[in-house]
Amino acid sequence: LDRLGALERLPMPARQAEATALLADHPFNPIIAGGDTLLLFYRGPGRDVRLAGDQTAWLPTLPLAHLAGTDLWSCVLVLPPQARVDYKFVVDAQWLLDARNPRTCTGGYGPNSELRGPDYKEPDFVAAPAATACRQDRYELPAPALGGPREVLVLTPPGEPRGRRPCLLVHDGLEYVTLGGLERALAWLAEHRPDLVLPVCVCVPPGRRTDEYAGGLQEPFGLWVTGTLQPFVAVQHDVGMTWGVMGASYGGNAALDLARRFPGRFDRVAAMSPYVAPEQTIAYAAMPPQSVRVYLNWGVFDLPQLIPMDREFATLLAGRGFACLSEEKPQGHSWGFWRDSLPSSLIFLYSETPR
């Protein structure tokens, strides 16, 4: 920051050369300016350069400052040291990856640039995959009430379980594998946490996602899960009929919905950055708290409408005495966040005694 300030005080003809030297000395974004302060540079042509990302609710509302006499733009960000957020530059209305940042994180709409605070720790399963992978089985099951057959991917953790394995239904299941690293997380936990009885994960992609997870197809979807999917998997994989269920965003609402709509069929829920529909709040205010174990999280930089909703729901669960782990992390509404949440959610749901 001091050097940038000094550059601003130089006469115009001297600025471009000094800007080039500054970037040569600091070739990568972000630059840790101390504590919770990060500095980003953009170099290139443009009339208007902005940043959009988790910290702006993906609105291009954070302008970069242009250093007159140069092609250098900069912005200062203040983030918690443990933060991990996604972002892009918006240059004259064109959305671009940060060419000076080698880190990216792929989401549902493609890759974004990734900012990591100095104290952020990547999950071990990302950097050091397990020696043995999960077994993968693929099926196609009829689902006429939902518009046609549904693909199902079943992940079985490596190793011999202590008895019959539990089962976990995963909403947006294929994205949890491809974007969230679910298979790698399961395999890593199987190798490093032998105390856990890890579940067989039944990964189901949505059809009409909004309707199935938070709209008029919730009941038909639930009936398909309990009437077709669960009996089929129980036979093919020798698992019990009481399952857990996991999902993110609208998928988190669907997870909460199945547990309240079909009591006794789902006893564990992981809801990541969930939209919590009013009917879930009403139902969980009346449900026996011993009926379900709940992992709940949201990001400091999550969708603004979700943060108070999730905080209030966490307060409700704690007040009613549910076995619940609620976590607010300095991340956004992203697959990077939900990937990072897999170890803590699975450990909480499948440890002998919940924390």
Side-chain angles (χ1 to χ4, degrees):
L1 287 175
D2 291 342
R3 190 170 173 185
L4 184 61
L7 199 160
E8 292 171 343
R9 293 190 291 271
L10 289 174
M12 289 288 181
R15 288 185 176 185
Q16 184 63 60
E18 180 58 26
T20 299
L22 173 63
L23 295 185
D25 291 341
H26 300 283
F28 301 114
N29 282 332
I31 298 166
I32 309 298
D36 55 2
T37 303
L38 307 177
L39 183 63
L40 294 179
F41 288 125
Y42 168 79
R43 185 178 189 179
R47 296 181 303 276
D48 181 75
V49 181
R50 297 171 180 267
L51 184 145
D54 289 322
Q55 63 272 52
T56 70
W58 285 99
L59 298 174
T61 54
L62 180 59
L64 275 68
H66 180 232
L67 180 63
T70 75
D71 58 358
L72 182 65
W73 303 70
S74 66
C75 72
V76 175
L77 299 175
V78 178
L79 296 173
Q82 301 86 7
R84 193 213 65 81
V85 294
D86 295 350
Y87 72 100
K88 278 183 174 173
F89 288 138
V90 185
V91 181
D92 297 336
Q94 184 179 3
W95 292 64
L96 303 173
L97 292 172
D98 180 355
R100 291 173 44 81
N101 184 350
R103 294 192 182 278
T104 61
C105 186
T106 301
Y109 298 98
N112 298 306
S113 294
E114 180 188 68
L115 277 181
R116 296 182 175 189
D119 294 340
Y120 167 77
K121 186 180 184 302
E122 185 178 68
D124 291 333
F125 78 85
V126 176
T132 306
C134 297
R135 193 183 84 206
Q136 300 190 19
D137 296 286
R138 295 182 182 271
Y139 307 99
E140 185 176 272
L141 298 185
L146 301 176
R150 190 63 52 93
E151 180 183 0
V152 176
L153 170 65
V154 178
L155 301 177
T156 302
E160 292 298 323
R162 301 190 304 273
R164 176 181 280 181
R165 282 196 185 275
C167 209
L168 178 68
L169 171 62
V170 184
H171 296 312
D172 292 308
L174 301 186
E175 289 186 305
Y176 259 103
V177 174
T178 59
L179 303 179
L182 176 60
E183 189 274 335
R184 294 178 67 174
L186 277 175
W188 190 91
L189 286 170
E191 185 174 296
H192 294 273
R193 290 296 304 266
D195 56 304
L196 302 175
V197 180
L198 291 167
V200 170
C201 288
V202 181
C203 304
V204 179
R208 294 166 57 184
R209 185 176 188 273
T210 301
D211 290 336
E212 292 175 5
Y213 289 178
L217 289 178
Q218 282 181 283
E219 183 174 3
F221 178 71
L223 292 172
W224 176 78
V225 167
T226 55
T228 299
L229 180 65
Q230 284 187 319
F232 176 84
V233 174
V235 170
Q236 297 293 322
H237 293 271
D238 190 29
V239 295
M241 290 296 289
T242 301
W243 289 22
V245 56
M246 178 168 69
S249 194
Y250 272 154
N253 180 73
L256 293 166
D257 187 73
L258 283 175
R260 66 95 179 172
R261 195 182 289 268
F262 298 97
R265 303 297 290 271
F266 299 92
D267 63 355
R268 299 156 206 253
V269 172
M272 300 180 184
S273 301
Y275 164 71
V276 182
E279 57 265 28
Q280 314 309 349
T281 300
I282 294 169
Y284 280 78
M287 283 171 56
Q290 68 274 15
S291 63
V292 63
R293 187 186 299 192
V294 181
Y295 173 85
L296 175 70
N297 74 11
W298 60 94
V300 173
F301 306 106
D302 220 308
L303 299 182
Q305 65 270 31
L306 296 186
I307 296 172
M309 180 187 298
D310 291 344
R311 286 174 177 166
E312 291 172 10
F313 192 64
T315 300
L316 167 67
L317 295 175
R320 297 244 21 255
F322 281 86
C324 179
L325 174 60
S326 300
E327 298 186 311
E328 181 171 340
K329 299 288 187 177
Q331 297 208 39
H333 198 81
S334 71
W335 280 106
F337 176 34
W338 306 328
R339 173 202 66 199
D340 289 3
S341 305
L342 285 173
S344 58
S345 62
L346 291 169
I347 290 169
F348 175 74
L349 292 183
Y350 293 101
S351 60
E352 292 294 334
T353 305
R355 290 184 280 124

